């Protein structure tokens, strides 16, 4: 079967790839067809994306010799580490002790190294060509890095300007029409909605392609024109919270299907509360695991509030803790005023207060998670916390350092997604499920709304007071 677009025929160009139209499959098929001895360099943006792409390529039977896959930042780190004299960077930036400043410094050093033109021969000797995935997520310096590589290697970049949603905190993304396509001329656009065709929902896929054009043109989306696979939940004043909770429990139309629940990007606490109240739901976490790091930074084993801190943290990742009641029970058990014997979790908490060690803290968390009726709804945070506490108990690190190490290990893993997951567009972009539930479309830009609506392959549920969705302005 011929490739939908022949990437080998592109010396330098860009492919526009709407959501669900087979971009990753096109990359896999290109690598399968690759016959040269030198591998193709494939760059993307996140470690999770690298892990997911590798898994996809393994499933497709692509030999490891056909490609090298990395994040742009990871490739930049290896590049300047290999040529430190030419790069002239401060070696400390490669330690990533200050990620907010180290990563920009690494990118800047790699950009200057490539622009100097010294690496043309080693790059040509190492790689056959370059493919860059999710190119709409490149910031201007990453774009300059890829442009430097494209001076040496045949290069094709693939992406979708309607999925460019990472432009925040001063991270200016490259503009597709004004900056990408002048350097990488348009070489094709994927037009077949494979995600929906394979799920038996071609009408939904075609509708999503149509509203993509509307959103790109600054027009609203009228849910009354949507196919049967789209269900509008009309929110009524005073009952919106309950209606969203009900919508979050939407079942997949197929057995053991998956559901992505897309909440408010800003109100993280609200998303976690909804996750805790939705049976079987689990939160998709930001890679910085901020709550874990803050807990590790502030947790004082010898402090008078150590149990309270531990119980509050447990309450933030699992149901059924009852932090205030636990503290009251521990106090009554310790003073001999309790009329009923302790539960296993209460017994561990009493032991922790008497002997506040990392081992005891870990036993409390484990006992709370194993209580009847308890449900861990933020398993990633709890797993990394347990890993950090085990390291501290083993004497290998302090809690904060161990927590950061656990977080960094977690970054590089392919992150398993629960059958019912809750997150924001930023956290769920690149994922797909049988059903997507969009809880707050009124807060979304055109790009965020498009990303949210395209997560569901069989069914989309939209909660809003008005069937006409008017995206908010990017500004």
């Amino acid at each position: 079967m011929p490739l939908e677009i022949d990437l080998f025929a592109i010396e330098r160009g860009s492919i526009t790839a709407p959501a669900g139209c087979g971009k990753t499959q096109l990359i896999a098929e290109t690598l399968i067809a690759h016959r040269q001895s030198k591998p193709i360099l494939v760059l993307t943006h996140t470690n999770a994306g690298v892990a997911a792409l590798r898994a996809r390529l393994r499933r497709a039977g692509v030999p490891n010799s056909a490609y090298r896959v990395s994040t742009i930042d990871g490739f930049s780190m290896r590049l300047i580490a290999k040529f430190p004299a030419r790069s002239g960077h401060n070696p400390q930036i490669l330690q990533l002790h200050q990620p907010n400043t180290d990563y920009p410094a690494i990118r800047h050093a790699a950009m200057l190294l490539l622009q100097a033109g010294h690496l043309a021969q080693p790059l040509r000797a190492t790689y056959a060509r370059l493919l860059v995935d999710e190119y709409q997520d490149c910031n201007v310096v990453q774009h300059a890095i890829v442009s430097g590589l494209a001076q040496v290697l045949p290069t094709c970049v693939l992406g979708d300007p309607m999925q460019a949603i990472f432009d925040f905190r001063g991270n200016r993304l490259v503009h597709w029409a004004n900056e990408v396509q002048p350097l990488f001329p348009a070489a094709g656009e994927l037009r077949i909605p494979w995600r929906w065709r394979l799920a038996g929902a071609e009408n939904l896929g075609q509708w999503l392609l149509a509203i993509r054009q509307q959103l790109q043109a600054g027009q609203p989306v009228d849910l009354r024109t949507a196919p049967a696979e789209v269900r509008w939940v009309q929110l009524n004043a005073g009952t919106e919270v309950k209606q969203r909770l009900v919508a979050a429990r939407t079942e997949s139309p197929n057995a053991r299907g998956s559901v992505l629940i897309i909440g408010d990007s800003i109100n993280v606490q609200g998303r976690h509360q909804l996750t805790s109240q939705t049976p079987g739901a689990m939160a998709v976490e930001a890679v910085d695991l901020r709550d874990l790091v803050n807990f590790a930074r502030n947790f004082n084993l010898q402090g008078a509030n150590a149990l309270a801190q531990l119980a509050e943290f447990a309450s933030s990742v699992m149901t059924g803790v009852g932090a205030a009641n636990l503290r009251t029970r521990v106090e009554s058990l310790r003073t001999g005023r309790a009329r009923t014997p302790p539960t296993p979790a209460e017994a561990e908490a009493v032991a922790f207060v008497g002997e506040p060690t990392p081992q005891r803290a870990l036993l409390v968390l484990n006992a709370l998670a194993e209580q009847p009726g308890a449900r861990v709804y933020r398993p990633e945070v709890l797993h990394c916390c347990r890993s950090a506490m085990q390291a501290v108990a083993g004497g290998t690190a302090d809690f904060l350092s161990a927590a950061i190490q656990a977080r960094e290990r977690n970054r590089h893993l392919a992150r398993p997604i629960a059958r019912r997951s809750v997150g924001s567009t930023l956290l769920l972009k690149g994922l797909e499920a049988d059903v997507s539930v969009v809880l707050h479309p009124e807060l979304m830009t055109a790009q965020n709304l498009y990303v949210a609506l395209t997560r569901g392959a069989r069914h989309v549920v939209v909660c809003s007071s008005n069937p006409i969705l008017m995206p908010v302005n990017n500004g």
Side-chain angles (χ1 to χ4, degrees):
M1 180 176 171
L3 298 172
E4 186 174 346
I5 297 175
D6 183 3
L7 300 187
F8 294 116
I10 300 170
E11 189 68 20
R12 184 188 297 185
S14 60
I15 302 296
T16 299
C21 287
K23 170 170 60 67
T24 306
Q25 186 62 29
L26 176 63
I27 293 172
E29 290 173 352
T30 299
L31 295 176
I32 289 172
H34 180 55
R35 294 290 179 266
Q36 292 186 31
S37 59
K38 291 181 291 187
I40 292 175
L41 176 61
V42 183
L43 298 179
T44 187
H45 288 271
T46 66
N47 290 306
V50 167
L53 185 57
R54 281 185 178 139
R56 183 78 170 265
L57 296 175
R58 278 196 300 271
R59 289 197 301 272
V62 181
N64 292 336
S65 59
Y67 64 92
R68 298 289 181 270
V69 61
S70 173
T71 63
I72 297 174
D73 288 345
F75 176 80
S76 298
M77 289 177 71
R78 286 190 293 278
L79 195 68
I80 66 173
K82 194 167 186 177
F83 300 97
R86 289 180 179 177
S87 168
H89 64 278
N90 180 348
Q92 288 298 312
I93 63 176
L94 294 174
Q95 302 302 314
L96 297 177
H97 292 313
Q98 303 291 334
N100 289 341
T101 54
D102 290 344
Y103 276 117
I106 288 164
R107 293 171 195 145
H108 187 70
M111 177 188 73
L112 294 179
L113 185 59
L114 288 165
Q115 288 177 344
H118 299 308
L119 304 184
Q121 187 173 349
L123 286 169
R124 285 197 191 99
T126 305
Y127 305 111
R129 62 174 48 243
L130 170 65
L131 301 177
V132 189
D133 194 13
E134 303 288 359
Y135 203 75
Q136 75 282 341
D137 294 336
C138 277
N139 62 34
V140 289
V141 179
Q142 290 170 325
H143 176 54
I145 290 169
V146 175
S147 301
L149 291 168
Q151 300 297 321
V152 178
L153 299 171
T155 299
C156 182
V157 303
L158 303 93
D160 179 9
M162 283 304 294
Q163 297 183 70
I165 61 174
F166 289 100
D167 53 341
F168 55 92
R169 296 179 192 162
N171 182 53
R172 187 174 84 76
L173 299 183
V174 67
H175 191 281
W176 195 263
N178 298 343
E179 293 169 304
V180 176
Q181 290 187 327
L183 275 173
F184 300 100
E189 180 169 343
L190 299 177
R191 301 180 185 276
I192 301 173
W194 287 108
R195 175 179 298 164
W196 297 276
R197 178 176 290 185
L198 294 172
E202 174 96 14
N203 286 342
L204 175 58
Q206 293 295 346
W207 180 75
L208 289 166
L209 283 174
I211 66 160
R212 179 184 179 278
Q213 292 182 317
Q214 293 171 222
L215 290 168
Q216 199 163 23
Q219 298 171 357
V221 173
D222 189 345
L223 295 176
R224 294 170 299 188
T225 69
E229 292 89 349
V230 178
R231 178 166 67 91
W232 173 45
V233 176
Q234 183 174 9
L235 298 178
N236 300 310
T239 62
E240 300 100 320
V241 173
K242 183 178 180 181
Q243 287 180 281
R244 289 189 180 106
L245 279 169
V246 172
R249 299 186 182 200
T250 300
E251 293 293 338
S252 174
N254 55 316
R256 299 191 62 79
S258 53
V259 180
L260 292 179
I261 301 157
I262 304 165
D264 182 355
S265 292
I266 303 300
N267 186 3
V268 179
Q269 191 58 43
R271 291 204 311 269
H272 291 161
Q273 184 176 351
L274 179 133
T275 310
S276 72
Q277 295 172 332
T278 304
M282 294 186 185
V284 176
E285 303 288 345
V287 292
D288 62 3
L289 297 185
R290 187 174 303 175
D291 289 350
L292 168 65
V293 174
N294 287 340
F295 173 57
R297 181 178 288 114
N298 298 318
F299 186 42
N300 181 6
L301 278 170
Q302 306 308 318
N305 294 324
L307 178 61
Q309 288 181 300
L310 188 60
E312 288 301 325
F313 172 76
S315 295
S316 74
V317 299
M318 66 182 81
T319 64
V321 173
N325 184 62
L326 177 65
R327 296 197 302 272
T328 302
R329 280 283 291 163
V330 167
E331 180 63 25
S332 64
L333 286 162
R334 282 173 54 81
T335 57
R337 293 182 286 107
R339 297 183 179 181
T340 56
T343 64
E346 290 167 352
E348 292 293 355
V350 169
F352 170 74
V353 173
E355 185 188 2
T357 64
Q359 295 94 323
R360 289 288 184 193
L362 180 57
L363 290 171
V364 172
L365 284 181
N366 290 342
L368 289 170
E370 291 164 6
Q371 290 185 110
R375 180 174 68 85
V376 176
Y377 62 90
R378 299 180 68 190
E380 218 170 333
V381 176
L382 182 60
H383 170 75
C384 288
C385 182
R386 283 169 163 163
S387 177
M389 284 184 170
Q390 286 167 348
V392 177
T396 59
D398 63 89
F399 191 23
L400 178 58
S401 298
I404 291 173
Q405 289 166 8
R407 178 193 69 186
E408 293 307 305
R409 286 195 301 271
N410 193 63
R411 273 185 201 264
H412 294 270
L413 300 175
R415 307 167 82 188
I417 299 298
R419 284 177 53 208
R420 187 175 300 273
S421 295
V422 181
S424 63
T425 48
L426 288 170
L427 297 174
L428 300 178
K429 179 178 171 290
L431 302 178
E432 64 178 275
D434 296 290
V435 179
S436 65
V437 181
V438 186
L439 298 179
H440 294 277
E442 74 283 357
L443 303 176
M444 295 179 174
T445 63
Q447 289 87 348
N448 279 277
L449 182 58
Y450 175 68
V451 168
L453 292 172
T454 52
R455 296 310 92 197
R458 299 175 189 272
H459 196 56
V460 179
V461 179
V462 183
C463 301
S464 65
S465 57
N466 193 318
I468 298 176
L469 306 180
M470 180 63 72
V472 300
N473 193 294
N474 272 307

